[in-house]
Amino acid sequence: MTAQIRILATTDLHMNLTGFDYYADTPDPSIGLSRTASLIKAARTQAQSQGHLVLLFDNGDALQGAPIGERAVAQTDSRHILMQAFDDLGYDAVGLGNHDFGFGLEVLDRIVAQATCPVICSNATRADRPASWQAHTILDRNIKMQGQDLVLKIGVFSVLPPQTAKWEAHRLQGAVSVEDILTCAHRKTRELRSGGCDLIVALAHTGLGAAAPAPNLENAAIPLAAVPGIDAIIAGHSHLTLPGSAHQSLEHVDPQHGLVHGKPVVMPGAAGSHLGIIDLTLHQKDAGGWSIGNQHVELHSVSPATPAAPTEEDADVKRLFAQAHKETRLHSAKPVGETRQNLHSYFSFCAPDRGLALVAAAQAAALRPFLKGTSHEGLPVLSAVSPSKFGGRAGPRSFTDVPAGQIRLRHVDDLNIFPNEMQAVVVSGAQIRDWLEMSAGVLNQMHAGQRIDLRNSARAGYNFDILHGLSYQIDLGMPARFDAGGNLTNSSHNRVKNIRLAEHPIDDQQSFVVALNNYRASGGGHFPFVDTARQIPLPVLSIQCIVRDYVAGRLPADPLADAPRPFTLRPLSGAFAILRTSPKAQHHLAELQTYNPSVIGRDDDGFLLIRLTL
């Protein structure tokens, strides 16, 4: 006898509940749970009409992201709208991701208590009290086979990156510990099998990374699939898609069929862009239990390639979000200040980014009062910023673009989309060099006579830290000094040249105060300075609030606003770089004049391709 199971999955929603870009105040047909909901209902109806059992899961990072999420958290007197949506759509269980801890434990506990389905995180443990989330769940589901009513026991566990405890240390320190993904998976799989589970599904908020098992992997989906007893995996965290073409060179991965170590693994993108589907055929064994026969993995996009039209928003779900959507737009439209220049991130990796310069100045202005009367008062103040919207996996629509004129709250969020807090560290000149070398690794090495993408797509653009207050050159003819994990590749590789403070070369023994966000200060991005930097105690200071107050004039103008351009790309004879950016960047090509830019078309994802002469 056989049973047919259809598993539906979403991941990394980041509170993109509607198909709307709140930063640009315009509809976005490529995202939104309201559109994914239409795919969910269609896929469920199709499977159920054929007598298949259907399960629906979310894989974490749902609660924090788009501005509507901030409004939902503020509404403490009503049920969280995402929990309402999960309930209405019939989710069977949801896992937690690292960003779900970003509002703090009190908020998370309140939201979890409102869920009607199990909320799971197997490798995060509360140290101070029992956790509001579950360590796993066993779903008993009835199936009818040849006139018999049988109960299928489905075990579900959930894991997230162990680095979460470090990334969110300002909220989780001493309260939450996070176990290694693979260690937890082995233990949970044995436990669920011992509990009589017929099928085990892993909600794995982790991406495809190293093939070999190792302690504390952030992206552990490949060795996770090799854990005996796991039958299906919903992966995420990296915002990529599987099945998909971006993983062709990974060992043990069949990207076309969504198989890793022969097991079905689905990665449904991010922001509600895709619905993941895993179809399984289970065969009942003569001795009892089940074995998996046929397995099929596919993705359904809310915005399939032309000529197909984007998926329509589900009317019921859209209606559920309507009031919160209206309130978010009204709040985001509130004016806070003005700018004389367009602030955009189309050229962040090669030319001055005025939006980042504004954030850097705001951070410095907020920090300086806390240095007065301390031993740090006389030290040079720098400010570290990095692009938060740079295209990449989010697509060609994902760039900051604040027009000249009135700055509204949505523009403030657009300049720094992450709800980070500002922190400060004291570092030496030698640490500054390593910091900048790690940042420069986001860019590819260039070779004369070749056209190479400027940004290394394997590295996150938000790890391209720019230290305002300094000036320096980046030599892309040299290999990167550090790999993506912060490991030294070769001590002779020095891309960053001529680091200067006010026209004077910095000294390795010199001390600096640097304003930065909590993600970087806690080790996010694997920067090599973190473990030895001295932190300066500060109160809770939201960077978005700092930028708002700076634009509104409630913080004084900071000297960093008039600092020289932080970095330039060192000339490299005969070398060309390809910049992938938004088609809207064509209106600003004059800013790339030094590179003799040439537009060469668009790629399959819709990015504008600009050739830069280095």
Side-chain angles (χ1 to χ4, degrees):
M1 292 191 295
T2 62
Q4 303 292 330
I5 312 295
R6 169 162 285 188
I7 299 172
L8 307 178
T10 54
T11 191
D12 294 277
L13 289 172
H14 291 293
M15 284 300 289
N16 285 277
L17 306 183
T18 65
F20 197 82
D21 181 346
Y22 291 102
Y23 307 110
D25 196 42
T26 183
D28 185 345
S30 67
I31 61 172
L33 180 59
S34 57
R35 285 192 163 85
T36 322
S38 296
L39 300 179
I40 290 171
K41 291 183 178 181
R44 176 186 278 137
T45 299
Q46 179 198 43
Q48 288 178 337
S49 69
Q50 300 172 25
H52 298 179
L53 173 65
V54 178
L55 301 168
L56 175 59
F57 301 112
D58 184 79
N59 195 33
D61 272 11
L63 296 173
Q64 187 184 63
I68 195 172
E70 303 282 342
R71 302 292 298 166
V73 166
Q75 303 296 323
T76 57
D77 57 345
S78 59
R79 189 181 181 196
H80 195 280
I81 51 174
L82 184 59
M83 295 302 104
Q84 294 183 57
F86 282 165
D87 192 4
D88 290 356
L89 289 169
Y91 275 76
D92 291 277
V94 300
L96 294 179
N98 51 290
H99 281 288
D100 294 319
F101 291 84
F103 290 120
L105 290 170
E106 182 179 346
V107 171
L108 179 59
D109 289 347
R110 186 180 80 236
I111 296 173
V112 168
Q114 299 170 2
T116 56
C117 68
V119 178
I120 310 168
C121 190
S122 305
N123 65 331
T125 305
R126 288 289 294 262
D128 52 345
R129 69 184 72 170
S132 58
W133 57 87
Q134 299 177 208
H136 66 261
T137 192
I138 298 177
L139 306 173
D140 292 334
R141 295 294 183 266
N142 296 320
I143 55 173
K144 187 178 288 290
M145 298 176 57
Q146 297 182 1
Q148 298 184 45
D149 290 322
L150 301 176
V151 176
L152 193 67
K153 298 177 75 68
I154 302 134
V156 186
F157 72 92
S158 170
V159 288
L160 48 67
Q163 290 80 6
T164 300
K166 195 170 185 180
W167 295 335
E168 300 292 342
H170 61 302
R171 297 188 183 277
L172 305 183
Q173 187 79 42
V176 172
S177 60
V178 184
E179 185 182 15
D180 170 72
I181 288 175
L182 300 179
T183 302
C184 177
H186 279 283
R187 176 171 51 80
K188 276 295 163 188
T189 303
R190 291 192 299 267
E191 186 178 341
L192 291 169
R193 288 294 180 193
S194 299
C197 289
D198 302 301
L199 183 75
I200 294 180
V201 178
L203 305 182
H205 193 80
T206 184
L208 300 180
N216 296 318
L217 290 175
E218 176 184 348
N219 290 302
I222 296 178
L224 180 66
V227 173
I230 297 176
D231 297 302
I233 295 175
I234 300 166
H237 181 59
S238 61
H239 295 192
L240 292 174
T241 55
L242 188 73
S245 59
H247 315 285
Q248 292 179 350
S249 62
L250 292 177
E251 190 177 1
H252 307 300
V253 178
D254 177 352
Q256 181 180 355
H257 298 100
L259 299 176
V260 182
H261 285 289
K263 293 180 182 177
V265 179
V266 68
M267 298 177 69
S273 63
H274 293 78
L275 175 68
I277 301 177
I278 298 176
D279 286 322
L280 301 174
T281 301
L282 272 61
H283 299 277
Q284 191 172 37
K285 301 176 184 177
D286 292 338
W290 302 83
S291 64
I292 295 179
N294 296 331
Q295 49 193 24
H296 177 73
V297 185
E298 62 184 67
L299 284 176
H300 290 185
S301 171
V302 302
S303 57
T306 54
T311 303
E312 291 292 330
E313 294 182 274
D314 179 80
D316 293 335
V317 174
K318 184 178 180 181
R319 190 159 43 246
L320 173 63
F321 298 147
Q323 185 60 33
H325 172 64
K326 178 181 178 181
E327 292 175 357
T328 301
R329 287 191 68 194
L330 287 172
H331 177 76
S332 298
K334 292 180 179 178
V336 293
E338 292 186 353
T339 176
R340 295 179 181 177
Q341 297 175 304
N342 181 266
L343 310 175
H344 65 78
S345 62
Y346 300 134
F347 311 135
S348 298
F349 302 107
C350 57
D353 184 322
R354 292 187 290 268
L356 287 183
L358 174 63
V359 175
Q363 289 182 167
L367 174 61
R368 292 185 197 276
F370 295 100
L371 303 179
K372 290 183 178 179
T374 73
S375 58
H376 312 303
E377 184 174 5
L379 297 180
V381 174
L382 310 177
S383 190
V385 289
S386 59
S388 55
K389 295 177 70 178
F390 50 85
R393 297 166 187 169
R397 296 172 63 98
S398 184
F399 288 88
T400 296
D401 192 344
V402 179
Q406 197 168 58
I407 294 182
R408 302 178 184 275
L409 281 177
R410 62 183 171 87
H411 297 139
V412 170
D413 292 343
D414 200 17
L415 290 168
N416 190 87
I417 65 172
F418 301 115
N420 290 326
E421 296 172 10
M422 188 184 74
Q423 297 190 3
V425 294
V426 178
V427 292
S428 68
Q431 290 171 314
I432 289 287
R433 293 182 193 278
D434 281 347
W435 191 339
L436 293 175
E437 288 285 355
M438 182 67 184
S439 174
V442 170
L443 306 181
N444 278 317
Q445 184 180 5
M446 300 294 156
H447 301 281
Q450 299 182 19
R451 297 192 313 181
I452 301 171
D453 277 3
L454 179 61
R455 187 176 72 84
N456 182 346
S457 61
R459 291 197 174 188
Y462 54 74
N463 285 332
F464 187 68
D465 280 5
I466 303 167
L467 267 60
H468 285 255
L470 298 176
S471 60
Y472 50 97
Q473 290 181 310
I474 300 175
D475 182 357
L476 295 182
M478 292 287 293
R481 182 178 176 85
F482 296 96
D483 66 18
N487 303 301
L488 182 68
T489 58
N490 191 314
S491 59
S492 66
H493 295 167
N494 294 293
R495 282 184 163 187
V496 182
K497 314 287 188 182
N498 302 325
I499 309 174
R500 294 177 175 271
L501 173 71
E503 301 301 321
H504 300 291
I506 68 168
D507 183 88
D508 283 355
Q509 305 305 315
Q510 190 174 0
S511 293
F512 301 84
V513 173
V514 186
L516 72 172
N517 64 50
N518 64 275
Y519 174 75
R520 187 71 74 239
S522 299
H526 309 289
F527 278 67
F529 72 89
V530 172
D531 290 336
T532 52
R534 287 183 289 134
Q535 290 213 9
I536 298 175
L538 293 176
V540 175
L541 298 167
S542 159
I543 293 178
Q544 289 176 336
C545 291
I546 287 170
V547 174
R548 178 199 64 198
D549 290 346
Y550 189 77
V551 169
R554 289 190 287 270
L555 285 172
D558 193 83
L560 283 191
D562 300 317
R565 174 179 178 174
F567 78 95
T568 56
L569 301 181
R570 199 172 197 183
L572 190 60
S573 179
F576 303 93
I578 302 301
L579 176 67
R580 295 178 186 268
T581 187
S582 166
K584 294 181 180 179
Q586 289 191 88
H587 303 302
H588 307 280
L589 289 181
E591 297 174 28
L592 297 177
Q593 192 171 24
T594 185
Y595 299 109
N596 189 25
S598 174
V599 175
I600 58 177
R602 299 191 189 188
D603 66 10
D604 292 341
D605 294 320
F607 284 99
L608 184 73
L609 305 181
I610 303 176
R611 189 185 76 166
L612 307 178
T613 302
L614 299 180

